[in-house]
Amino acid sequence: MKTNNLLLDEKNKHVPQGVFSTHPIFAERAKGAIITDVEGKEYIDFAGGIGVVNVGHCDEEVLKAIQDQIQKYIHTCFQVVMYEPYVELAKRLNEITPGSFSKKTMFVNSGAEAVENAVKIARHTTGRPAIIAFEDAFHGRTLLTMSLTSKMKPYKFGFGPYAPEIYRMPYAYCYRCDFGLEYPSCEIRCAYFLREFFHTHISSEQVAALIVEPVLGEGGFVIPPREYFKILHKICQEHGIVFIADEIQTGFGRTGRMFAIEHYKVEPDIIVVGKSIAGGIPLSGITGRTELMDHPQAGGLGGTFCGNPIACCAALAVLDLFEKKDLISRAGQIGKKVLERFEELKEKYSIVGDVRGLGAMVGIELVIDRKTKEPATLFTKRLIELCRKKGLLMISAGTYSNIIRPLMPLIITDEQLDQGLNVIEEAISEIDN
Ligand SMILES: Cc1ncc(COP(=O)(O)O)c(C=O)c1O
């Protein structure tokens, strides 16, 4: 029998260390919210392949959609011979994304590739070079998206020089406000700061787009105040700047709305989606105003594998599942329960510095001291390891890797959810002592 250790030795021999894994285990199979490793141990999955399996592992209807499509054709390249599922999926995304204006959608393979294309489209349309991104943002690992990403280690360190014309603003990280203010008396200074930014960092006439996550994912489940995006969006509109919402992690129901930006009542010019869109098959999309999406010349967008038909069929099945199983309401229920339990943890354990949530996107920020807010990075690492030993898979987030960010499948049962939350509490109490 293959063991995790044997496979890990092989992995270390044949795969570069840069391709890191949080957990030293290998999957044998996965179903619903459970992953079974090669040694037969079962884990409750609170990571969901980093927020990719909102509909659960190997959902029967997603499997059927994939199998049906495989029987017909696997690849023709949409740029050579087109196929209906691509067009059908584009139509559905144009319908369900916020914005009552005319929209078009194109598909690529990964989140990073979607962000790259959104930036290409914004630059092409505006004829301007600059992009504004945010502190603690994560947009991917390609040269441009790594440059848009904020965290140095491990994502950027040693990989420079970075792509030019990227300018970085503070995010609305209320727990660690860059301006030393408190909500609501701050009057959302961090959003209005964009106006100052045009004088101190980059002139508005040179800015093609502002790209922002409605809730920071990798940055630590940071949830801006309700007014924040409306202000940013309005300022962008005043200056002809394309507002791009990166919904790659927040999208597909995670926050109790199909797209997190809906909570903020903002209609972005472009939305990029990925991760959970196709139940685990690589696919990402860019949906935007028709006049933006149609601006680049024919042949300027796309790629060999972009919008693979199997992935498009899986995504159509995922959309059906959201309706059939009302996964958006389920995200709300999960979020309520997780938030309650995490608030209890905050009452009991001083290591829990902050608890914040939007739908099922609920995070705990762990700190060594509540006054100094020194990040409890080592504690978080130990917590994740101990949880795994107890049968729960989790991942951390945040510039200091001191935030727990559960990304469980939205089809998780109440029992599995309780079990997972119990494991977190048990592990915190053991390490805290
Ligand atoms: C908000 C956000 N944008 C972009 C990406 C990059 O996606 P991918 O890893 O599919 O390239 C991620 C991945 O974690 C993400 O969370």
Side-chain angles (χ1 to χ4, degrees):
M1 189 186 82
K2 288 269 159 77
T3 64
N4 288 312
N5 282 345
L6 268 176
L7 287 170
L8 189 58
D9 284 346
E10 288 289 292
K11 184 261 178 188
N12 290 339
K13 262 187 232 155
H14 303 295
V15 180
Q17 64 168 1
V19 185
F20 176 74
S21 175
T22 307
H23 298 291
I25 59 168
F26 288 78
E28 177 67 25
R29 58 186 171 275
K31 190 81 186 159
I34 301 290
I35 295 181
T36 309
D37 76 5
V38 287
E39 296 174 13
K41 177 164 173 162
E42 287 191 354
Y43 299 87
I44 296 173
D45 185 9
F46 268 25
I50 320 190
V52 169
V53 287
N54 285 0
V55 298
H57 290 280
C58 295
D59 174 87
E60 289 305 322
E61 291 181 32
V62 173
L63 290 184
K64 184 171 181 316
I66 292 170
Q67 279 154 357
D68 288 352
Q69 181 54 37
I70 285 172
Q71 304 301 323
K72 295 181 193 161
Y73 52 91
I74 293 173
H75 175 81
T76 62
C77 183
F78 196 74
Q79 259 96 77
V80 180
V81 173
M82 297 174 285
Y83 34 86
E84 193 181 347
Y86 187 117
V87 181
E88 176 61 22
L89 184 60
K91 187 176 158 196
R92 299 236 346 228
L93 281 176
N94 293 340
E95 282 163 8
I96 63 167
T97 43
S100 46
F101 40 81
S102 161
K103 283 175 250 158
K104 288 196 174 178
T105 292
M106 60 170 283
F107 298 106
V108 285
N109 303 292
S110 67
E113 212 181 341
V115 171
E116 294 261 355
N117 277 278
V119 169
K120 275 174 70 176
I121 292 165
R123 281 184 171 158
H124 198 282
T125 310
T126 58
R128 302 171 178 180
I131 308 295
I132 296 176
F134 287 81
E135 280 171 19
D136 298 299
F138 184 87
H139 297 291
R141 287 178 158 95
T142 58
L143 178 58
L144 174 66
T145 59
M146 166 190 74
S147 305
L148 290 168
T149 291
S150 164
K151 185 171 174 172
M152 287 308 296
K153 285 187 183 175
Y155 302 126
K156 299 175 77 151
F157 177 72
F159 295 125
Y162 308 119
E165 290 302 327
I166 290 168
Y167 300 86
R168 197 171 302 286
M169 288 242 307
Y171 193 77
Y173 195 162
C174 297
Y175 182 63
R176 295 179 186 277
C177 177
D178 275 281
F179 299 91
L181 299 172
E182 262 185 48
Y183 180 79
S185 58
C186 65
E187 296 181 343
I188 328 293
R189 166 92 209 280
C190 55
Y192 288 110
F193 179 68
L194 180 54
R195 290 211 168 105
E196 279 170 60
F197 199 79
F198 295 145
H199 295 286
T200 54
H201 289 74
I202 177 75
S203 284
S204 59
E205 309 93 288
Q206 290 178 289
V207 181
L210 175 143
I211 181 161
V212 68
E213 295 162 82
V215 174
L216 294 181
E218 171 64 27
F221 281 21
V222 177
I223 298 146
R226 290 294 150 128
E227 305 90 328
Y228 182 63
F229 291 108
K230 265 213 169 128
I231 299 166
L232 289 181
H233 184 238
K234 185 166 178 289
I235 299 173
C236 284
Q237 279 183 321
E238 285 165 7
H239 294 275
I241 295 168
V242 177
F243 185 98
I244 304 173
D246 179 343
E247 291 262 7
I248 288 163
Q249 193 159 150
T250 48
F252 283 84
R254 172 65 43 189
T255 66
R257 296 275 169 88
M258 201 58 174
F259 302 98
I261 200 74
E262 291 173 45
H263 289 283
Y264 294 91
K265 302 196 168 35
V266 162
E267 298 180 348
D269 300 305
I270 295 181
I271 293 189
V272 285
V273 293
K275 288 195 185 283
S276 262
I277 181 174
I281 307 285
L283 184 73
S284 59
I286 305 104
T287 301
R289 288 179 182 273
T290 295
E291 62 271 27
L292 296 175
M293 299 300 288
D294 265 343
H295 204 275
Q297 59 280 11
L301 304 171
T304 306
F305 290 115
C306 294
N308 171 273
I310 301 167
C312 289
C313 289
L316 288 167
V318 164
L319 285 176
D320 290 343
L321 278 170
F322 263 91
E323 280 171 23
K324 227 185 211 170
K325 298 194 175 172
D326 194 9
L327 291 179
I328 291 183
S329 305
R330 180 65 186 146
Q333 292 160 5
I334 291 172
K336 191 167 174 283
K337 179 168 263 187
V338 177
L339 193 63
E340 272 168 20
R341 288 293 300 271
F342 284 0
E343 291 286 4
E344 281 169 31
L345 295 180
K346 191 175 166 195
E347 297 284 308
K348 286 192 202 160
Y349 305 97
S350 63
I351 194 86
V352 178
D354 193 31
V355 169
R356 49 199 181 233
L358 189 65
M361 217 164 173
V362 189
I364 301 185
E365 178 149 358
L366 300 166
V367 293
I368 285 168
D369 179 322
R370 281 190 179 175
K371 261 213 180 102
T372 63
K373 300 183 180 174
E374 185 184 336
T377 305
L378 194 64
F379 186 102
T380 311
K381 189 165 183 272
R382 287 176 62 204
L383 177 64
I384 286 175
E385 279 167 14
L386 188 55
C387 284
R388 181 184 65 251
K389 286 179 186 147
K390 292 173 178 287
L392 176 72
L393 297 176
M394 283 204 305
I395 48 175
S396 66
T399 294
Y400 301 100
S401 305
N402 64 319
I403 294 149
I404 296 296
R405 57 161 158 170
L407 284 162
M408 63 287 281
L410 302 176
I411 51 74
I412 194 165
T413 64
D414 283 336
E415 203 191 348
Q416 290 163 338
L417 185 61
D418 283 336
Q419 233 176 305
L421 293 169
N422 291 343
V423 168
I424 295 175
E425 168 144 24
E426 236 179 78
I428 290 183
S429 76
E430 277 177 39
I431 304 173
D432 209 36
N433 283 321

